[in-house]
Amino acid sequence: MNGAVNSMDDLSPGELDDFRRDVRAWLEANCPDSMRTPASDEDEVVWGGSQVSFKTEDHRLWFERMRDKGWFTPQWPTEYGGGGLSSEQAGILAREMARLHCRQPQINLGIWMLGPVLLEFGTQEQKQTHLPPMARGEVRWCQGFSEPNAGSDLASLQMKAVPDGDDFIVTGSKIWTSHADKSDAIYTLVRTDPEAKKQEGISFLLIDMASPGITTKPIELISGKSHFCEVFFDQVRVPQKNLVGELNSGWTVAKRLMQHERQAMAHLGDEGQSPYSLADMAKQYLGCRAAEAGAADSDATEIADAVMRDRVAALDMDDMAYKLTLRRAAEEIAAGDDALATTSTFKYYSTELEKRKNEALMAILGTRALGWDGGLSDEAGGSFTADELAVTRGWLSSKVMSIGGGTTEIQLNVIAKRVLGLPSADDSA
Ligand SMILES: Cc1cc2nc3c(=O)[nH]c(=O)nc-3n(C[C@H](O)[C@H](O)[C@H](O)COP(=O)(O)OP(=O)(O)OC[C@H]3O[C@@H](n4cnc5c(N)ncnc54)[C@H](O)[C@@H]3O)c2cc1C
């Protein structure tokens, strides 16, 4: 569902089977074994862009092989460096990658969010300039939407862009800009008509982070790792050809982009989801016993603690039901339905489910999940393992997922109004 933007003639079931066979064989031959495990830490994740770096040779190989297939962007047209796959083929590729537990070869906000809106709203020149480098993982984009007084109420943003010859002069600041200090470019919302109704005076502008007048300042996070920045724009000159969509129509472009953002977050991917199996962790930390007679596998074991067994089983069922629902949505997109309309539902459910799973992991590990950088005293059982430290950080990080991309409360408002059609306070005005 990564930007369902390309259309191809329907393939017959036989052709899709052939495609599945080819994909499976290619992945088996080309995905290095070490790339068939979840990324356990931030430095295991490859971010595209001019500063791309690879922790191991396998990371580099996997990145380059997928790039050369055009499979960073499987559904983008080949003329822009994409794989040219239909939705059905892209679904097969995603499922075959999941079957082998292949990691995403790179993460790039440009691909998830900006690319699909450029395909929809961009000029031919913008598509030719920006999409191919994105599809090759050469340019890293960040998102400059939020401002100190414009988060949930994004349309209150104040950063202004004033026309000056062939350029705009941009002045103001953005906050919570993820990875701004490592990005090559930023897509922003700017105020271009201060007199208009707030949504109607906003434009969508692409800005090169190397432009004179831009400074970034990292912000520390509770998890101990900082990817947030403040970005300051001091009279930054930006070519008018970098305007996406019409002047003062940026809100329409932004709403579409946020749908793609929520869709991407609903998927979470290997990097967003806890890589730990709740059942395995519970057996390891709380003990296990032989499964009751009649289990399909006679060697099977089950979590010894009955209360935790129920909790893990319920979470596993919710997880499975969610993944099946996602798959159904992918198939509906393939059949032409506009599943983007329900992205808030997916974003809401997946981020809340991830928080519940992380809470269960904390309960399973007990004091072993209270590690930070230092070790534990011997009475408490010695130093923390890397997995235990990762669980602690994962639990903290899971909290932010229900804030970024629009908070849980905002998703519930959107679901109430746009999905369920319930009246809102605005309607009574
Ligand atoms: C991990 C992460 C990554 C992020 N990355 C980026 C990024 O790259 N670029 C970017 O521009 N921004 C980014 N953000 C910022 C994010 O978009 C904002 O934090 C978010 O929109 C909330 O805005 P706020 O922090 O100003 O909170 P506020 O809007 O001040 O909200 C505070 C609280 O009030 C509640 N609330 C507000 N309005 C309503 C309402 N109408 N009804 C009910 N409840 C309401 C909210 O749900 C929240 O609980 C990121 C945030 C996180 C956590």
Side-chain angles (χ1 to χ4, degrees):
M1 302 215 295
N2 181 11
V5 286
N6 194 31
S7 67
M8 280 185 56
D9 292 335
D10 283 346
L11 295 178
S12 68
E15 287 169 320
L16 288 174
D17 279 345
D18 289 346
F19 178 74
R20 179 178 292 106
R21 230 184 341 268
D22 291 347
V23 166
R24 191 171 287 188
W26 188 88
L27 290 174
E28 293 277 8
N30 288 285
C31 181
D33 285 347
S34 66
M35 295 293 105
R36 300 182 192 190
T37 55
S40 57
D41 205 356
E42 173 71 9
D43 68 352
E44 288 271 328
V45 175
V46 175
W47 290 84
S50 62
Q51 299 180 37
V52 67
S53 66
F54 304 103
K55 192 173 179 194
T56 66
E57 182 61 11
D58 280 353
H59 283 85
R60 190 181 62 75
L61 270 180
W62 182 224
F63 177 94
E64 289 178 355
R65 288 171 178 171
M66 287 291 277
R67 176 197 64 196
D68 295 346
K69 289 290 275 186
W71 283 355
F72 287 163
T73 52
Q75 284 175 262
W76 289 13
T78 47
E79 64 176 304
Y80 302 128
L85 303 187
S86 67
S87 305
E88 285 165 321
Q89 288 175 310
I92 289 173
L93 172 61
R95 284 195 289 282
E96 289 302 318
M97 285 178 68
R99 198 181 65 84
L100 275 189
H101 305 291
C102 303
R103 289 182 195 182
Q104 292 302 320
Q106 70 139 356
I107 302 288
N108 197 324
L109 298 198
I111 287 175
W112 285 350
M113 304 174 205
L114 179 61
V117 298
L118 281 185
L119 280 161
E120 190 175 345
F121 296 96
T123 60
Q124 195 53 30
E125 185 188 347
Q126 287 169 343
K127 290 181 201 173
Q128 272 158 355
T129 306
H130 298 294
L131 295 177
M134 238 184 260
R136 290 193 299 269
E138 293 168 356
V139 175
R140 182 165 176 179
W141 286 86
C142 61
Q143 173 170 309
F145 281 10
S146 306
E147 294 182 11
N149 292 312
S152 300
D153 184 15
L154 184 58
S156 295
L157 61 96
Q158 292 299 320
M159 186 162 99
K160 64 178 183 194
V162 179
D164 184 63
D166 290 340
D167 299 332
F168 287 107
I169 305 289
V170 176
T171 308
S173 69
K174 295 289 173 182
I175 196 166
W176 313 125
T177 317
S178 303
H179 307 286
D181 52 344
K182 298 188 180 65
S183 294
D184 303 300
I186 181 167
Y187 52 89
T188 59
L189 291 176
V190 288
R191 186 151 301 283
T192 36
D193 184 352
E195 308 302 325
K197 234 175 96 183
K198 59 185 184 178
Q199 280 89 350
E200 289 163 15
I202 292 173
S203 299
F204 191 105
L205 205 54
L206 309 176
I207 305 180
D208 184 341
M209 285 297 277
S211 313
I214 299 184
T215 46
T216 58
K217 188 172 152 212
I219 307 169
E220 194 77 9
L221 281 185
I222 189 176
S223 62
K225 297 183 178 177
S226 172
H227 70 255
F228 279 137
C229 292
E230 284 178 277
V231 187
F232 301 94
F233 298 77
D234 182 10
Q235 312 240 3
V236 177
R237 199 162 269 281
V238 181
Q240 291 212 13
K241 64 178 184 189
N242 286 9
L243 181 72
V244 180
E246 300 292 316
L247 187 70
N248 298 322
S249 298
W251 192 245
T252 306
V253 183
K255 279 197 297 187
R256 197 65 171 167
L257 186 138
M258 286 188 280
Q259 286 183 323
H260 288 291
E261 177 175 21
R262 286 161 193 171
Q263 188 180 15
M265 289 186 74
H267 269 273
L268 285 178
D270 299 340
E271 290 71 25
Q273 273 189 347
S274 168
Y276 300 105
S277 148
L278 289 175
D280 290 348
M281 290 297 247
K283 287 179 195 172
Q284 182 184 338
Y285 283 87
L286 303 176
C288 60
R289 63 177 201 193
E292 281 178 12
D297 175 359
S298 57
D299 292 332
T301 56
E302 61 185 21
I303 303 162
D305 180 284
V307 173
M308 189 54 77
R309 198 161 61 236
D310 279 357
R311 185 169 170 184
V312 169
L315 281 165
D316 277 353
M317 283 192 286
D318 286 350
D319 199 39
M320 232 177 276
Y322 176 66
K323 287 189 174 126
L324 286 171
T325 309
L326 265 185
R327 188 165 165 185
R328 176 168 56 81
E331 284 166 5
E332 283 167 1
I333 290 180
D337 282 8
D338 183 9
L340 278 176
T342 52
T343 48
S344 286
T345 316
F346 289 118
K347 198 268 177 183
Y348 161 73
Y349 191 81
S350 64
T351 51
E352 291 299 321
L353 176 62
E354 205 50 32
K355 284 202 294 193
R356 284 164 55 212
K357 283 159 58 184
N358 274 280
E359 290 292 345
L361 269 177
M362 292 297 279
I364 289 167
L365 266 67
T367 54
R368 303 298 310 171
L370 297 179
W372 198 244
D373 288 330
L376 256 184
S377 67
D378 279 346
E379 303 84 66
S383 297
F384 295 102
T385 65
D387 279 347
E388 288 165 350
L389 291 173
V391 166
T392 314
R393 289 176 193 280
W395 172 72
L396 290 167
S397 299
S398 71
K399 309 289 177 200
V400 303
M401 301 307 278
S402 58
I403 302 173
T407 66
T408 277
E409 292 75 21
I410 294 303
Q411 304 313 316
L412 289 173
N413 284 350
V414 173
I415 294 165
K417 196 170 169 181
R418 307 247 166 78
V419 181
L420 301 176
L422 299 176
S424 72
D426 306 345
D427 299 333
S428 59

